[in-house]
Amino acid sequence: DAELSPDVTARKLNEIHREAARRRFEWRPFLRAAALWILVFSVAAIAAGVAWTRSRRSRSDTARERAAQWLVSAQLPDGRWDVRPGPAPSRHAVGITALAMMALSGERPALDKAAYSPALARAADYLVAQQAPDGRFGAVHSAAMYNTAMSVIALMRAGAGETDAARNSAAERGVAFILATQRPGGGWGYLRQPEGSMNTSITAWQL
């Protein structure tokens, strides 16, 4: 083929550049429209997600509030919660009371804590009254270590930011009891089996 002159080559290159620019210009409206639709759909999706999250949170908060109200209604006159009503507490009363207190005074509740302060105060007084001289909460039986750990946690959560000397002292004695009953291997086990094996569940609660 004959070699093109520099002028012809320059004209050809200019024509190619102009054609490419024209095609890019033709695509610009479509690209703008596509970008706009993507933006609109993204904003709509985010708004729908926020609305769904708020709705779900609202329903969850309502459920927690109703559950908390039921717990308060189930509290017995002496401040405890139990597996059954009656004047004689069951062996599980200390642990159940502590768990109910945790539910009403959790770290991130959607509840009005002030509304449940009287119930928490009665429950805390009940737990303090169940503490033995050595710091243990409740009687000596298979659930004693569970009862003690749960009671300490419940008293510390319910009394966060408060200066109730009796409750703080009870929690401190409970912690001292937990430390004193730790096994040489680092864990905890059933109180009635000091030489027995360590128990993962009991250990987790002490921590």
Side-chain angles (χ1 to χ4, degrees):
D1 296 336
E3 184 177 349
L4 296 176
S5 67
D7 291 340
V8 173
T9 301
R11 285 199 302 273
K12 291 292 185 183
L13 289 175
N14 287 335
E15 289 175 2
I16 292 171
H17 289 319
R18 284 196 298 272
E19 179 64 18
R22 183 183 66 79
R23 291 181 178 179
R24 286 197 300 269
F25 181 79
E26 289 176 351
W27 276 92
R28 283 177 184 173
F30 173 79
L31 293 176
R32 290 196 187 100
L36 180 60
W37 276 108
I38 291 173
L39 178 62
V40 169
F41 279 122
S42 298
V43 172
I46 292 172
V50 170
W52 180 82
T53 300
R54 287 178 177 173
S55 175
R56 183 178 180 184
R57 186 176 299 164
S58 177
R59 291 195 299 269
S60 178
D61 291 349
T62 300
R64 281 197 291 265
E65 187 70 35
R66 291 176 61 190
Q69 291 171 359
W70 182 88
L71 275 177
V72 172
S73 70
Q75 188 177 29
L76 296 172
D78 60 0
R80 66 185 159 97
W81 281 271
D82 211 340
V83 293
R84 60 177 181 272
S90 73
R91 63 186 300 181
H92 305 293
V94 170
I96 292 174
T97 299
L99 289 172
M101 286 181 66
M102 286 186 237
L104 293 177
S105 59
E107 294 178 1
R108 188 185 173 276
L111 303 173
D112 180 7
K113 284 187 179 181
Y116 303 107
S117 292
L120 287 169
R122 291 193 301 271
D125 290 342
Y126 174 81
L127 289 183
V128 171
Q130 306 310 307
Q131 190 171 36
D134 61 359
R136 181 192 74 251
F137 284 87
V140 177
H141 54 71
S142 59
M145 294 306 301
Y146 287 109
N147 286 344
T148 298
M150 292 173 183
S151 296
V152 168
I153 295 171
L155 288 172
M156 292 177 69
R157 283 190 179 182
E162 298 181 2
T163 57
D164 188 293
R167 296 175 196 173
N168 291 339
S169 177
E172 291 173 0
R173 293 198 306 275
V175 171
F177 175 81
I178 290 171
L179 294 175
T181 53
Q182 187 176 23
R183 305 288 174 83
W188 284 263
Y190 290 102
L191 193 58
R192 284 181 168 176
Q193 303 171 10
E195 304 301 327
S197 60
M198 291 176 286
N199 182 282
T200 303
S201 177
I202 294 175
T203 298
W205 272 105
Q206 311 315 305
L207 297 174

